[in-house]
Amino acid sequence: MDLLQLITLLLVISAGVSYLNQRFVKLPGTIGVVAISVAVSIVIVVIGKTNNELSDKIRDVSASMDFSRILLDVMLGFLLFASALHFDYQKLRKQQWPVFVLSTLGVFMSTTIFGLLLYYLCSLFGIELPLVYCFIFGALISPTDPIAVGAILKHSKISEKLSTVIAGESLFNDAVGLLLFVLLLEFVQQPEAMISIGTVGSLLLHEILGGIAIGLVAGYTGYRLIKSIKDFQTILLLSVALVLGISFLANYFHASIPLAAVSAGLIIGNNSFHTDKVSDDFLLKMWKMIDEVLNTILFVMIGLQLVAMPFLEEYWLLGLFSIVIILIARTVSVSLPALFLLGKLNVNNVLILAWAGLRGGISIAMALSLPDSQYKEGILSGCYFIVMFSTIGQGLSINTLIAALDRKGLKRQAKRP
């Protein structure tokens, strides 16, 4: 299947799924799209069991979508730029320390806890998964997904402060997760090579500082260019070209695409172009539409990946373990930094932070990019279990949790003399 056919098929399926959700299912956008896509995939898999030719054709179509490369090299830049464009930098500054700690130390802690617990349970139940692969799994699943988180926060009743922390964390922790993932993968592929602290530090500086530098320069350049004109068509073209250029440069210099896209988005989104604000409003509205369309396509792709995963039934136990462990790791990794920063623990806030930490397509993309090995299928299946539970289960229940915690808090206040 050539590129044009693939794009056409994705757009047709995405439009159909989006229509079904809005017309009949009426779930929140992201959740409904994923749920319908998974249901369609299950039907296709069941039909495929009785029709090998049909099953083979469907798998060929799914295999022709290089999901990992499409997301990490192309879509990720657009989605993060759009998220940062609408993010209030002043709110982020007020919560900079919680965001920084959760997006760095939180990811390291979650990766470590997840890896150790998974290795222990796998050993207990006779599942073969080396410790280093458990840590790799932890690195790719620990970062919260900014796309999934952003889609849920739009319809949630989370307080402004917590919403800023959750969204800010999700914007920056992908870069940390990707770096951990790359380092651990290098250790697996070259076990005889010595990975020194200097090497790790050099990679971190290159990825982090390189990504931020590209984003700041590109963002400022884009801002000055857009500020000098008032033609809407040219403004939109410049912004799209800016994101594509950021992704290209970050790839070329092996810098962080997430940090570059977020840095540029924050610069352009938090500076006004003209006093009448017309250009500002146009750009924000257009990128909101681009964001929502790409979100729909992305989550349709996630749902349809099930067709290419016939091995899920072989790893259901690993999948269930993974769901429980990531919830434990997430809770601990937000509790300890909160205790360290504040000197006390707000249980309600910890529960909301833990439950609102959704995983999405970025984790699946990293899992798909793993080199072929006897452990890849298990990690990919476990990752898929977590993403489906996270997007549908946690996404649908987050407002219920918030309401329950609010009622509990009101009852506690009423009992006080």
Side-chain angles (χ1 to χ4, degrees):
M1 179 174 290
D2 62 33
L3 182 61
L4 179 59
Q5 290 175 321
L6 184 60
I7 292 173
T8 301
L9 184 63
L10 274 176
L11 287 173
V12 169
I13 295 174
S14 299
V17 168
S18 185
Y19 175 80
L20 287 173
N21 182 50
Q22 293 298 322
R23 183 70 175 84
F24 301 106
V25 183
K26 297 182 179 179
L27 286 172
T30 299
I31 300 171
V33 167
V34 172
I36 294 172
S37 300
V38 169
V40 169
S41 295
I42 291 172
V43 171
I44 291 172
V45 170
V46 171
I47 293 173
K49 289 184 180 295
T50 58
N51 188 333
N52 291 330
E53 185 178 348
L54 174 63
S55 180
D56 290 341
K57 285 182 179 178
I58 292 166
R59 285 197 177 89
D60 286 343
V61 171
S62 183
S64 65
M65 287 191 294
D66 191 343
F67 181 83
S68 180
R69 186 175 179 185
I70 290 172
L71 177 56
L72 295 178
D73 291 351
V74 182
M75 292 181 74
L76 185 59
F78 279 91
L79 291 164
L80 289 179
F81 178 81
S83 297
L85 198 67
H86 294 86
F87 204 95
D88 190 332
Y89 178 68
Q90 295 307 318
K91 291 180 182 177
L92 181 61
R93 283 191 66 184
K94 291 178 183 178
Q95 306 300 330
Q96 59 183 333
W97 284 113
V99 169
F100 174 76
V101 172
L102 288 176
S103 60
T104 53
L105 180 61
V107 175
F108 282 102
M109 288 178 61
S110 177
T111 299
T112 304
I113 295 166
F114 182 92
L116 291 173
L117 288 178
L118 183 64
Y119 180 71
Y120 172 76
L121 282 177
C122 285
S123 301
L124 193 64
F125 285 85
I127 300 172
E128 186 182 357
L129 192 63
L131 182 59
V132 67
Y133 278 94
C134 292
F135 284 134
I136 286 174
F137 192 179
L140 66 87
I141 205 65
S142 288
T144 54
D145 189 281
I147 303 135
V149 167
I152 297 302
L153 287 179
K154 291 174 186 175
H155 307 284
S156 75
K157 298 174 183 177
I158 297 174
S159 68
E160 184 179 281
K161 180 179 177 181
L162 273 181
S163 179
T164 301
V165 172
I166 293 166
E169 175 203 2
S170 69
L171 281 176
F172 293 101
N173 64 10
D174 284 320
V176 178
L178 279 166
L179 285 171
L180 274 176
F181 177 74
V182 169
L183 285 170
L184 289 167
L185 202 56
E186 178 131 351
F187 178 78
V188 168
Q189 293 174 320
Q190 300 178 12
E192 71 285 348
M194 293 296 292
I195 301 178
S196 64
I197 295 176
T199 304
V200 174
S202 176
L203 178 62
L204 289 173
L205 288 173
H206 188 84
E207 285 270 351
I208 294 172
L209 295 183
I212 293 173
I214 290 171
L216 292 177
V217 171
Y220 181 74
T221 303
Y223 167 71
R224 298 302 303 179
L225 290 172
I226 293 172
K227 187 177 175 64
S228 65
I229 57 172
K230 289 191 175 182
D231 179 66
F232 291 164
Q233 175 184 322
T234 308
I235 288 173
L236 180 60
L237 284 173
L238 281 172
S239 64
V240 171
L242 172 69
V243 178
L244 289 171
I246 286 172
S247 298
F248 174 80
L249 288 173
N251 259 327
Y252 183 80
F253 290 108
H254 303 291
S256 171
I257 292 177
L259 287 177
V262 169
S263 300
L266 287 173
I267 287 178
I268 292 178
N270 287 273
N271 287 286
S272 181
F273 299 118
H274 307 109
T275 54
D276 58 12
K277 300 285 187 180
V278 175
S279 299
D280 304 56
D281 292 340
F282 167 77
L283 193 64
L284 289 174
K285 287 177 182 177
M286 288 303 300
W287 273 96
K288 182 180 179 182
M289 184 183 70
I290 292 171
D291 183 31
E292 290 177 352
V293 169
L294 287 179
N295 262 314
T296 301
I297 294 172
L298 171 60
F299 283 100
V300 165
M301 290 170 68
I302 291 173
L304 293 179
Q305 283 297 307
L306 179 63
V307 179
M309 297 183 187
F311 46 82
L312 279 173
E313 60 189 23
E314 302 171 19
Y315 297 100
W316 64 269
L317 187 59
L318 178 61
L320 293 178
F321 286 162
S322 302
I323 291 171
V324 174
I325 293 170
I326 194 59
L327 290 175
I328 294 171
R330 172 69 180 174
T331 304
V332 175
S333 67
V334 298
S335 300
L336 293 183
L339 190 61
F340 173 76
L341 283 171
L342 304 175
K344 59 181 180 178
L345 207 59
N346 185 317
V347 176
N348 286 5
N349 286 351
V350 167
L351 290 174
I352 293 171
L353 278 169
W355 201 250
L358 274 61
R359 274 72 186 178
I362 295 172
S363 294
I364 293 178
M366 284 194 278
L368 284 168
S369 71
L370 284 169
D372 291 335
S373 72
Q374 65 189 96
Y375 310 113
K376 180 177 179 177
E377 287 189 353
I379 292 174
L380 186 54
S381 295
C383 179
Y384 201 87
F385 271 90
I386 290 174
V387 170
M388 288 300 101
F389 174 80
S390 173
T391 306
I392 299 174
Q394 292 173 242
L396 279 176
S397 58
I398 185 64
N399 283 333
T400 304
L401 174 66
I402 294 167
L405 292 174
D406 285 344
R407 285 196 299 271
K408 189 176 179 181
L410 289 172
K411 287 180 181 178
R412 192 182 298 117
Q413 289 178 3
K415 288 180 181 178
R416 291 176 182 170

